[in-house]
Amino acid sequence: MKAIRYHEHGDADVLTVDDVPTPEPGHGEALVRVHAASVNPIDTYVREGGVEPAGGLPHVGGADAAGVVEAVGDGVEGLSTGDRVFATGLGLFEAGSYAEYVAVPADALAPLPSGVSFAEGAAAAMAFATAWRGLVYRGELSVGDACLVQGGAGGVGHAAVQIAAHAGATVVTTASGDEAFVRSLGADAVVDYRGDDAADRIREAAGGDVEVVLETHAAANLATDLDALARGGRIVVLGEEGPIRIDPGASMTGKIADADVRFMSIMASRDDQAPILERVGPLLADGTFEVEIEATYPLAEAAAAQRHVTSSGSRGKVVLEVV
């Protein structure tokens, strides 16, 4: 089979198209014929050497997959050949989804409804699982809460806006030049994150202090988040993009507010992913949720797809079409 691998860490140029043996599903695994795989920032982080993948190099990257069950290993129940499935959280503890086939722990797979395309399933998997876990599990979002989504036009951000709106929250988001797009997803207000008065503008847009923040750029935004946070509020940090520094004033603001800063990684929450996707799938199928696919690339152009994901101003998701 064809697979995209890297034999050394580095920039996107280290990705190569290799012929490798088709994997056999082990105990508790299913072999999935991959129809689509999405491209995520975590894929580039692992490729660059930020985390050493289990099994070492060469390595097949890719966290998200959507496809059809080709075979099942011993001990697998509830899955049959021909089932449409999608999954996330791959590509670190085992080979990833940038390949024609991937062996996946069966309990990581969720049914992909017939009304959802493979490209949509792959694009939605990590984005919606991350946003759902961040807001609902870690952020404890409740009906009537005011929720701030930092970066509402991005992959996780555009999923988070929809989830928060569906949960009955007042949704305020930051987005650069994408106000119409994020409002179409359910955002009640769009705020410019720049300027010393950003927290005041967030509070004004939310009608008061914010109970939950989903933060994708904590190095730049954490002081603003703390300033805008309600007493007992929760900030869920998904990404930092640099060292997080809090000056004494911001720290005191957070302490007075009894604030919680909670960190989260979708790669460390494998038990949660399939149950979340089981709930997301029908909401994609009935149109409650939509996934924005900005660009698609063939598998052989994975390097270009990764460069696209790391470029500034990208919106929604980038997908590899495999077969």
Side-chain angles (χ1 to χ4, degrees), residues 6-217:
Y6 44 94
H7 298 251
E8 60 182 334
H9 293 297
D11 62 20
D13 291 336
V14 301
L15 296 176
T16 59
V17 182
D18 294 345
D19 288 305
V20 300
T22 301
E24 296 284 340
H27 181 81
E29 292 184 333
L31 179 67
V32 176
R33 182 175 178 83
V34 181
H35 285 260
S38 78
V39 181
N40 297 285
I42 185 67
D43 303 343
T44 68
Y45 182 69
V46 177
R47 184 207 69 220
E48 291 169 350
V51 177
E52 190 66 29
L57 302 180
H59 181 67
V60 179
D64 294 335
V68 174
V69 174
E70 187 82 3
V72 296
D74 295 336
V76 174
E77 298 179 356
L79 280 177
S80 301
T81 300
D83 286 351
R84 301 175 87 251
V85 292
F86 66 143
T88 191
L90 311 176
L92 184 57
F93 305 105
E94 64 279 297
S97 58
Y98 290 9
E100 292 176 330
Y101 295 89
V102 61
V104 181
D107 59 7
L109 294 168
L112 183 68
S114 59
V116 182
S117 72
F118 292 116
E120 290 169 334
M126 178 171 282
F128 279 86
T130 301
W132 190 296
R133 188 172 190 273
L135 290 173
V136 179
Y137 293 7
R138 299 291 289 145
E140 302 176 62
L141 185 70
S142 298
V143 175
D145 280 349
C147 175
L148 171 63
V149 177
Q150 292 279 17
V156 173
H158 91 290
V161 168
Q162 296 177 74
I163 291 167
H166 182 64
T170 297
V171 186
V172 179
T173 187
T174 56
S176 177
D178 284 299
E179 180 170 353
F181 171 60
V182 293
R183 283 189 179 276
S184 74
L185 301 174
D188 296 292
V190 184
V191 176
D192 190 335
Y193 63 90
R194 295 165 292 192
D196 294 337
D197 64 340
D200 293 333
R201 288 183 277 109
I202 289 166
R203 277 192 294 268
E204 181 180 1
D209 293 336
V210 174
E211 279 82 18
V212 179
V213 178
L214 194 69
E215 181 54 74
T216 54
H217 299 86

Side-chain angles (χ1 to χ4, degrees), residues 211-306:
E211 279 82 18
V212 179
V213 178
L214 194 69
E215 181 54 74
T216 54
H217 299 86
N221 300 327
L222 192 57
T224 297
D225 298 339
L226 287 168
D227 194 2
L229 204 65
R231 184 171 180 82
R234 287 82 64 199
I235 301 170
V236 181
V237 177
L238 303 179
E240 297 81 33
E241 297 209 345
I244 300 174
R245 297 183 175 88
I246 305 176
D247 65 40
S251 177
M252 184 56 67
T253 298
K255 291 173 183 175
I256 292 172
D258 244 358
D260 279 353
V261 179
R262 304 175 179 181
F263 292 87
M264 194 201 102
S265 168
I266 195 66
M267 302 301 286
S269 55
R270 290 166 67 93
D271 293 344
D272 298 335
Q273 293 159 11
I276 291 172
L277 294 182
E278 287 174 5
R279 300 183 70 174
V280 168
L283 294 170
L284 289 167
D286 70 13
T288 300
F289 293 157
E290 296 181 3
V291 60
E292 175 77 4
I293 299 175
E294 183 177 59
T296 59
Y297 292 82
L299 180 64
E301 295 180 18
Q306 287 198 352

